[in-house]
Amino acid sequence: MILTQEQEMIRDSMRAFAQERLAPFAAEWDRDHTFPAQALKELGELGALGMCVPEEWGGAGMDYMSLVLTLEEIAAGDGATSTIVSVQNSLPCGIINKYGTDAQKEEWLKPLARGEKLGCFCLTEPHTGSDASAITTRADRDGDSFVLNGVKHYITTGKYAQMAIVFAVTDKAAGKKGISCFLVPTATPGYSVARVERKMGQHASDTCQIVFDNCRVPATALLGKEGEGYKIALSNLEAGRIGIASQAVGMARSAFEAAVRYAKDRQTFGVPIIEHQAVNFRLADMATQLDAARLMVWRAAQLKDAGKPCLKEASMAKMFASEVAEKVCSDAIQIHGGCGYTDESPVERIARDVRVCQIYEGANDIQRLVIGRAIAAE
Amino acid sequence: MKILVPVKRVVDYNVKVRVKSDGSGVDTANVKMSMNPFDEIAVEEAVRLKEAGVATEVVAVSCGVGACQETLRTAMAIGADRGILVETDVDLQPLAVAKLLKALCDKEQPQVVICGKQAIDDDANQTGQMLSALMGWPQATFASKVAVSAGKATVTREIDGGLETLEISLPAVVSTDLRLNEPRYATLPNIMKAKKKPLETVKPADLGVDVTPRLTTIKVAEPAKRSAGVMVADVAQLVEKLKNEAKVL
């Protein structure tokens, strides 16, 4: 696969930004749990927060191939920032663009796509993740409004977002078809951040438990029709998975590049360690795995851009990329030796950051289920 | 007011350059090429003058092989309005480029030419000065601050020992130093818009310019490798070595 001139320019521009504005600060943000607000503002101005939203709604009007190139570069700069960017693009922007009315797009999509506001996606609950139909948060109609009650879990950007896309049960008897979707300003009374998780990695991105306690929103906050929530929740899956896959490639690439730099610099037995075959072959394997993962991501994105089905290909890319990324990061630590286990090198942080790519946006076990079912149905 | 900005395609500043084994030049096969960083500053300055309402049009020009159109697209993604490619496979030397730019200045009639003070490949630092001489226009080189108003430009220059401020009448040539500005990152929508901006291709012959090289490169060699250092035991030994071995004291 060969990139077009525009795609190369997108990659180069985002690479320059990520290497100058994200990478030098990533370690500090991780250590201090700093939310990268300024960097996100700048990314919004570059058009990276609403990439696939049409220009008339404040977005960059670009395709998924451009999105994956951008996400890889951002992730190579800082994994946590790439998660915030990935969520903003695929979930709030992607979903409102697809299901929002013009009024909802005016109110929310424009500021989200421009990066003036951030959104979060409240689906998962303490007792249910992959089985989204089992949610219990309720939205009870009361005249011209809905009243939300329940608890949402592991919500990316839950603390810093200005708006939340919330899934809640409006008709318990209807099962999956009784779930609806709401656009909720996080300043609404009754929306509260109950806690911020202490995670293994990605410390610059907040992951929150959100409590809805008699959180009242007008009926106009309903996204799509009543009962369409489950469909909406599952509607942009491929895009989200392709995004996570490119993040995994980006993070692993930066660990790989750190390993190459170290191997050329570090000397043992009188030569740079890259000249030892054990190190050299390890780097060869890392580079090959990374390349294979990237090609799978690009193929899935190209299928999506061509309007072709890509559920299986997106799942394969997400699963493969996130698993080889863990391996590549682990190998990068090995090449660094003791230094790789300390915060002297960036690879211990990247290895922590990349691990969650196997879990969020559909755990890899779910990806295997999707791929396996597709094979059985072929 | 129109501003003309020449941009050069050079080996990317991050690339570790290698000399060709036959010593004829630097290897550029499979090497990442980018816009000369000083020229990027020139484009940024021109675009800022347009955004400030001082300039009405920014025209980027690149002289060289067909792939220079990529450099022009980058200039247009930053904000140049259109591009002109003077296409030739001949290895262009500063005088040839200055003559090509003179021909374009005669045609386009810009009020200001903003160029990088030098290109990071050959570091010649000649083209802007030669263009100024050929046009008979004033020049202000190594600019760290530029203010343009009716018929004149005030340019602060970085010189040995401090800053010098010149006032020059327009039309004029200004060359940029590193501290003039910090070029923006091209936004994603502007990268897409750059594709639709006009890009005209001309040949040196169309401009009536003979670009035949006047200089011959005899040999290109890598700088000598730094030899290993020695640890000195104390200050006395250091002074002794500086005096008798390095002969710098």
Side-chain angles (χ1 to χ4, degrees), chain B residues 137-153:
Chain B
W137 289 357
Q139 59 172 314
T141 52
F142 314 155
S144 63
K145 198 175 166 205
V146 176
V148 179
S149 57
K152 60 181 193 203

Side-chain angles (χ1 to χ4, degrees), chain B residues 187-208:
Chain B
T187 71
L188 298 170
N190 284 349
I191 290 172
M192 300 311 281
K193 285 189 190 105
K195 187 166 61 172
K196 299 187 190 95
K197 290 183 177 175
L199 198 163
E200 177 194 352
T201 302
V202 295
K203 304 274 182 194
D206 304 336
L207 300 171

Side-chain angles (χ1 to χ4, degrees), chain A residues 5-6 12-13 20 46, chain B residues 32 69 73 185-186 188 195:
Chain A
Q5 191 182 326
E6 285 73 36
D12 290 350
S13 185
E20 289 162 22
L46 291 178
Chain B
K32 183 172 165 53
Q69 57 100 1
R73 292 285 176 211
Y185 302 101
L188 298 170
K195 187 166 61 172

Side-chain angles (χ1 to χ4, degrees), chain A residues 9 53 135 190 193 197 213 218 226 243 261 270 321:
Chain A
M9 283 170 72
V53 173
I135 62 167
V193 179
E197 304 296 342
D213 179 16
E226 210 173 316
R261 278 195 304 273

Side-chain angles (χ1 to χ4, degrees), chain A residues 3 11 15 26 31 40 42 47 55 82 151-152 173 204 308 315 342 364:
Chain A
L3 298 180
R11 185 197 58 194
R15 180 172 298 174
R31 188 189 62 220
L40 288 166
E42 292 170 15
E55 284 192 64
S82 74
V151 180
K152 294 290 180 181
K308 293 188 173 162
S315 286
T342 72
N364 280 10

Side-chain angles (χ1 to χ4, degrees), chain A residues 63-130:
Chain A
D63 56 12
Y64 283 93
M65 194 58 201
S66 308
L67 177 63
V68 301
L69 293 170
T70 298
L71 284 174
E72 177 180 332
E73 294 308 326
I74 295 174
D78 177 45
T81 304
S82 74
T83 295
I84 303 166
V85 174
S86 192
V87 165
Q88 177 91 349
N89 273 293
S90 307
L91 299 169
C93 285
I95 285 175
I96 301 174
N97 186 40
K98 193 164 176 186
Y99 291 98
T101 62
D102 281 0
Q104 288 168 332
K105 287 181 181 175
E106 190 65 42
E107 183 182 6
W108 292 116
L109 187 55
K110 274 190 181 174
L112 285 167
R114 291 186 188 129
E116 295 157 3
K117 287 185 175 161
L118 293 172
C120 64
F121 181 79
C122 301
L123 175 64
T124 297
E125 298 186 358
H127 66 281
T128 183
S130 298

